[in-house]
Amino acid sequence: MKSCEGKNNSIGIFDSGLGGLTVWREMQAAMPHEHFVYVADSKYAPYGNKDSEMVLQRSLCIAETLAQTHQIKALVVACNTATAAAVHHLRETLDIPVIGMEPALKPAVEQSESGIVGILATENTLQSDKFSNLLDAHQHQARILTQPCVGLVEAVEQGELHSRKTKDLLASYVLPLMDEGVDTLVLGCTHYPWFEPIIRELVGDDIAIISTGKAVAKQVQKQTQKQIQPQSKTHKTNKQGQTMFYTTGDAGQVSQLASSLLQSNIVFQSFSTQHSEP
Ligand code: DGL
């Protein structure tokens, strides 16, 4: 699959749902003049407990539609689970920069004073070869405790961020890590930054909570600037960039949830992929 001639200037982003918005908001803050096309694959969320072949097929399908219909200039896989399952294939298939997510283990082990680091992620991310390589690269530097967090993505997608059930679930994942002496907590799923205020309440002020959105935004900025440098003089503009939001789920419901998460009026449209769905 090669993207079409006459590329427009948007950066494509996708996630299983509304987690990628935590990455999008960092990108938008870092690159306010860029245009974005965001796809929430809400119909298939969560990805974290699905067969990784299915996650791969969904990722390819969305990427192909974004490349061909929206002629994006770069693709951000704003999902750790989809990155683990598909980023290599996407890089082989697309002729634009593809930027993925990776749990921020490196900065976490570097800054941990207790030498004990906790990581919260989906089952699929933690079971992936990609993650196991990352773990191998860092586990001589710190004791790394992994915690699969079943149910947290669903809580975001169902608008249950602040329910008692969700708070209890979070406590059951986070507090045992604190008992083990963790002083640095990695949020290894893009949905989890939505819980940061609740996690902060649970762990107190002395624990570092690290997510990847800002680092990825910087990386995207670097890659896209490099890519468009020859044209940048002619395309320079001070206008605010626009974002188009799409979902494979119920657009009304997703708009409502996203608006409440971002405290702003966000309107999603229906997204249909070019090929038959898995
Ligand atoms: N935001 C995705 C991630 O970073 C969530 C995966 C899921 O849908 O379970 O892994």
Side-chain angles (χ1 to χ4, degrees):
M1 168 207 336
K2 296 287 173 195
S3 57
C4 311
E5 288 300 313
K7 291 174 183 181
N8 76 15
N9 276 324
S10 302
I11 297 174
I13 314 168
F14 79 93
D15 177 44
S16 62
L18 301 175
L21 291 177
T22 64
V23 183
W24 167 78
R25 67 180 170 181
E26 300 293 353
M27 292 200 281
Q28 208 205 22
M31 298 169 276
H33 306 303
E34 289 286 359
H35 300 300
F36 299 98
V37 185
Y38 184 96
V39 179
D41 198 14
S42 319
K43 187 173 166 189
Y44 294 88
Y47 282 173
N49 57 2
K50 301 264 161 53
D51 183 72
S52 52
E53 179 58 32
M54 188 220 124
V55 178
L56 170 63
Q57 289 313 321
R58 289 303 305 154
S59 304
L60 289 170
C61 213
I62 292 167
E64 185 167 359
T65 306
L66 279 173
Q68 293 185 358
T69 311
H70 297 271
Q71 292 100 46
I72 51 172
K73 65 177 179 184
L75 177 68
V76 180
V77 186
C79 173
N80 292 263
T81 311
T83 300
V87 80
H88 292 304
H89 293 73
L90 291 170
R91 288 192 178 125
E92 275 168 18
T93 323
L94 296 168
D95 64 353
I96 52 173
V98 177
I99 299 103
M101 305 294 300
E102 183 173 90
L105 264 192
K106 188 170 185 280
V109 298
E110 280 168 4
Q111 75 175 64
S112 170
E113 284 176 11
S114 70
I116 309 173
V117 166
I119 161 153
L120 309 177
T122 67
E123 291 168 289
N124 271 358
T125 295
L126 296 176
Q127 283 165 11
S128 67
D129 291 344
K130 198 167 188 300
F131 183 73
S132 129
N133 293 338
L134 186 68
L135 204 55
D136 284 349
H138 297 292
Q139 60 188 357
H140 62 284
Q141 290 164 279
R143 192 168 154 232
I144 300 168
L145 305 177
T146 58
Q147 175 62 62
C149 297
V150 177
L152 290 187
V153 169
E154 290 89 327
V156 174
E157 297 300 318
Q158 289 156 14
E160 296 271 324
L161 223 56
H162 300 284
S163 73
R164 184 73 262 159
K165 192 176 149 208
T166 303
K167 286 184 179 166
D168 289 347
L169 197 59
L170 272 166
S172 75
Y173 294 142
V174 169
L175 296 181
L177 296 174
M178 297 303 109
D179 293 342
E180 292 287 333
V182 160
D183 71 347
T184 309
L185 205 51
V186 176
L187 306 185
C189 168
T190 56
H191 279 74
Y192 301 169
W194 293 123
F195 297 112
E196 192 165 334
I198 307 172
I199 297 175
R200 177 59 71 203
E201 243 174 63
L202 286 167
V203 301
D205 292 334
D206 296 336
I207 304 295
I209 302 174
I210 307 186
S211 42
T212 328
K214 273 201 177 63
V216 167
K218 266 197 192 150
Q219 179 66 13
V220 175
Q221 196 170 16
K222 223 167 84 183
Q223 295 233 17
T224 50
Q225 272 171 3
K226 205 165 46 181
Q227 184 199 16
I228 61 165
Q229 215 142 44
Q231 305 170 334
S232 60
K233 282 198 185 104
T234 46
H235 284 90
K236 215 164 195 166
T237 167
N238 285 324
K239 275 197 199 144
Q240 183 74 24
Q242 305 289 320
T243 301
M244 306 286 290
F245 294 97
Y246 292 94
T247 176
T248 53
D250 179 327
Q253 198 183 343
V254 174
S255 302
Q256 218 172 4
L257 287 170
S259 301
S260 133
L261 288 169
L262 289 163
Q263 301 282 292
S264 157
N265 188 32
I266 304 289
V267 179
F268 275 76
Q269 304 173 46
S270 288
F271 184 77
S272 41
T273 45
Q274 301 198 322
H275 295 288
S276 58
E277 302 184 345

